[in-house]
Every structure is written in C-alpha cells, then in structure tokens.
Amino acid sequence: MGLKDKFAESYARSKTMSGPEKRANEIMGKLLMKKAIIPIVAMIILIIVGAFMHINGWIILAINLAICVATFFYIRKQAQEFQNFTPYVGNLISLEQKGKKEYVAILKQGKKPIKLKITYGAEDLQNIKKNQLVQISYNSKYQIAILVTR
C-alpha cells in the first residue's frame, strides 16, 4: 500500500467519524502535542547551540535523530495509554466544578453512584439536564471523559 493510499484511507476515515470520535481525537491530539513540544524545543535549542559552539554538523544530526526516534516511541506509548476508555451508562446526578478546568461528575449506574473526576471533556456534560441518561467513555488515568450519547 502506497503513501497515497494510506493518506486516502486516513482522510476517508476522518470524514466518516462520529461526533464523539472526533471529540476524543481532538482532546487526545492536544494532549499529545503538549507532550511533543519539549523534544521539539530541545532539538531547536540543540541546533542553535551547535551552530554557536561550532560543533560538527553530523554530531548534531545524530543527536537530533536520536531525539526523534525516542520521541516517536514515547508518543506512540502515550497514544496507546490514551485509548484505555471505560464505558459508563447511567443517570447524570450532578456535575460540579472543583477548579478552573476540573469537574466532578456523579453518575448513578443501577443502585450505586459513580464519582468521575474529569479534567478534559467536561464541557459537553454542562449542557446535560439532571437525571438524564448518558453514556460516557472515561479514561481514569488522564481523567478524560467523552460523552457518547445523551
């Protein structure tokens, strides 16, 4: 499969994504970009320092390639960790704002209430009425909540 075919397949998949999938992609993309900024800045600083200190260009290239490879494997591992979502279906009892971007949602699933600490994705839950049935995909490690259905 050529590069053109892979791009076409990726483009077609992005056009057929549902709303929750797009929202999850957007949140995880932003989080991965935050993690990728540090290696990118380190590579730029390395190039600038190498130019000022007259270090051999091949050495700078080798170090930058090592940073690229390490960053690739780190970002790939992080992306796999972002995919661990647990589905919750229940009535949304309350949504309280604890900090600037931190929320606590309480869902009633059957007889027991479930408390979810949400850092990313709580904006969608603010428009939900009390005791409305919702389905939420939740990543407890990174506190990401994606509203699947209302």
Side-chain angles (χ1 to χ4, degrees):
M1 181 183 287
L3 185 63
K4 186 178 178 182
D5 294 334
K6 286 183 181 180
F7 178 75
E9 181 182 321
S10 174
Y11 182 75
R13 186 175 47 232
S14 71
K15 289 297 178 185
T16 58
M17 270 195 243
S18 66
E21 286 175 319
K22 285 182 184 178
R23 182 79 175 127
N25 246 359
E26 179 184 320
I27 291 171
M28 288 185 279
K30 287 179 183 177
L31 291 173
L32 287 174
M33 283 303 292
K34 285 181 184 178
K35 292 185 181 286
I37 285 178
I38 294 171
I40 292 170
V41 170
M43 290 169 54
I44 292 171
I45 291 173
L46 182 66
I47 291 171
I48 293 170
V49 168
F52 281 124
M53 305 210 43
H54 302 292
I55 299 174
N56 188 351
W58 290 108
I59 294 172
I60 300 296
L61 177 66
I63 294 172
N64 273 336
L65 287 176
I67 291 172
C68 284
V69 169
T71 303
F72 170 75
F73 287 112
Y74 174 72
I75 296 294
R76 189 170 75 173
K77 181 182 171 211
Q78 290 297 315
Q80 288 173 350
E81 289 180 9
F82 283 143
Q83 299 295 326
N84 297 331
F85 283 99
T86 305
Y88 291 101
V89 178
N91 294 331
L92 182 67
I93 302 300
S94 70
L95 180 69
E96 299 173 7
Q97 187 169 3
K98 292 292 182 184
K100 187 176 180 184
K101 288 189 171 186
E102 294 179 7
Y103 292 86
V104 174
I106 299 175
L107 287 175
K108 188 170 184 185
Q109 195 173 24
K111 290 187 178 182
K112 72 175 192 178
I114 298 170
K115 188 176 184 180
L116 303 176
K117 294 180 182 176
I118 303 171
T119 306
Y120 303 100
E123 301 84 24
D124 298 336
L125 295 172
Q126 291 176 339
N127 302 329
I128 303 295
K129 297 175 186 173
K130 262 188 161 182
N131 292 325
Q132 186 173 352
L133 185 67
V134 294
Q135 180 180 355
I136 297 174
S137 293
Y138 182 70
N139 184 326
S140 60
K141 184 173 182 179
Y142 295 100
Q143 298 178 345
I144 302 171
I146 306 298
L147 180 63
V148 179
T149 57
R150 296 178 181 184

